[in-house]
Amino acid sequence: MLPAEAYDEVDRHCPRLPLSYFEQAVAVPDGWAMGANAYLAFGDTAVAEAALDLFARLS
């Protein structure tokens, strides 16, 4: 978590990216999503989303 009073300072140092950066498709190997994957989740919302994802995978 970033304290509110530090936001402007951190934001000043972040690079500005053109919209085209976010519109690009990235090539990935076949089957990449079927491997052992994980992510670090923070907060209750992420826990609920992970539970729903697990339920969907097991259904």
Side-chain angles (χ1 to χ4, degrees):
M1 298 296 296
L2 184 64
E5 60 273 5
Y7 180 81
D8 288 337
E9 179 67 21
V10 171
D11 185 54
R12 236 185 325 278
H13 296 284
C14 291
R16 300 295 182 241
L17 301 172
L19 180 58
S20 62
Y21 176 86
F22 299 98
E23 296 174 332
Q24 296 179 39
V26 177
V28 295
D30 290 337
W32 73 273
M34 304 312 277
N37 301 302
Y39 68 95
L40 182 59
F42 296 97
D44 294 338
T45 300
V47 172
E49 289 173 0
L52 289 172
D53 181 57
L54 178 60
F55 180 76
R57 289 181 193 212
L58 296 176
S59 297

